Amino acid sequence: MTPIPRGLCALLLLCLAAGSGLARAGEARAAVASNFLHTCEALAEDFHARTGHRLRISSASTGKLYAQIRAGAPFDLLLAADAATPRRLVSEGLAKADSVHDYALGRLVLWSRDPERIGDGEALLRGGKIARLAIANPALAPYGAAAREVLQRLGRWEALQPALVQGENVGQAMQFVATGAAPLGLLPRSQVQEAERRARGSGWEVPADWHAPIVQSAVLLIRGSDNPAARAFSDYLRSAPARAIVREHGYDRVD
């Protein structure tokens, strides 16, 4: 007999519990990396419809969220933009080891709100004239670290220092480009996809092998380990419906 995948089994149990009235609707607080905010809002809506539980979302750079958790911020879950931070919290005794899992694989895009600005994106990054380029702070945001890695690979990191406009997180970096403060940005594909629903720009997807994989991991924090809503969302995030929403919002699949 073929075993039922863990994610599907978890979702079936959630649905059965919600439908039979065995699960009381509760609330969990999630610390969510800035790049994943819009996706998590869609997930929270679907999660509520399926289980009755609500998810309250606080969003910032992964580095800032880590510092807040270390300082005692009342979060139940962390959805990070990297794989290292959730595991670091486990090693520090602040998160549950058996709850860590990878939920998304991010991609980086060179993007401009000007539909004519980016033609040959590779040539532009390799040697084109760049007056201002927005990235997230590499010290706080994994997508910023990936952007730095790309520019270092191309030998342009040092040369472009005067042109770099650094946001505290990818949301702020996106705002720099969206408002015209920077004509170009190295940004998450998920955020570019969201921006282009409102107004079409121009972009070029950076090859995945130009930087280390942007594997995003989630973890249930110790504070949320006794919260049924937090445990339910941790299970839901592994389910097929959740994975479909993640893919729809511009992320590659993580098996």
Side-chain angles (χ1 to χ4, degrees):
M1 181 176 177
T2 303
I4 299 175
R6 180 180 178 183
L8 178 58
C9 183
L11 183 63
L12 289 173
L13 289 173
L14 284 172
C15 292
L16 286 172
S20 63
L22 294 177
R24 287 189 174 184
E27 182 177 88
R29 293 192 61 180
V32 179
S34 297
N35 71 283
F36 202 68
L37 174 59
H38 294 301
T39 310
C40 196
E41 288 172 342
L43 289 168
E45 184 177 346
D46 185 64
F47 174 64
H48 175 64
R50 293 176 183 277
T51 68
H53 295 307
R54 294 190 180 277
L55 190 72
R56 291 179 59 191
I57 300 169
S58 297
S59 179
S61 67
T62 294
K64 188 170 184 178
L65 292 172
Y66 168 75
Q68 290 174 355
I69 292 167
R70 286 289 311 273
F75 297 128
D76 299 306
L77 303 127
L78 170 66
L79 278 65
D82 66 358
T85 301
R87 290 162 176 83
R88 183 177 180 183
L89 288 168
V90 168
S91 71
E92 293 170 345
L94 296 172
K96 300 283 289 182
D98 60 359
S99 71
V100 177
H101 66 283
D102 303 333
Y103 67 89
L105 184 63
R107 295 297 302 273
L108 203 60
V109 173
L110 177 67
W111 189 73
S112 172
R113 71 172 187 170
D114 180 354
E116 307 298 326
R117 180 67 178 88
I118 300 174
D120 188 336
E122 180 173 353
L124 180 57
L125 271 185
R126 285 187 179 278
K129 184 176 181 180
I130 297 176
R132 292 185 303 281
L133 176 68
I135 66 171
N137 185 340
L140 296 174
Y143 282 85
R148 177 178 59 192
E149 191 176 344
V150 167
L151 296 176
Q152 288 174 333
R153 174 192 175 96
L154 299 177
R156 301 204 72 189
W157 175 248
E158 296 298 333
L160 285 176
Q161 286 300 304
L164 292 181
V165 182
Q166 292 191 23
E168 183 178 276
N169 52 55
V170 292
Q172 190 174 70
M174 170 57 82
Q175 281 299 308
F176 290 150
V177 183
T179 59
L184 295 166
L186 279 168
L187 305 163
R189 183 174 66 186
S190 57
Q191 288 202 319
V192 169
Q193 187 172 298
E194 180 70 23
E196 294 219 332
R197 291 192 180 102
R198 299 186 293 272
R200 184 163 181 78
S202 57
W204 177 73
E205 192 165 298
V206 176
D209 61 359
W210 281 22
H211 57 80
I214 309 174
V215 179
Q216 301 194 198
S217 299
V219 70
L220 181 66
L221 301 172
I222 294 298
R223 182 184 182 278
S225 60
D226 292 327
N227 183 337
R231 294 199 306 269
F233 186 80
S234 181
D235 288 337
Y236 163 79
L237 196 54
R238 297 176 173 89
S239 71
R243 287 172 182 249
I245 291 172
V246 170
R247 288 195 299 272
E248 287 168 7
H249 282 76
Y251 296 90
D252 286 346
R253 179 173 177 170
V254 176
D255 292 311

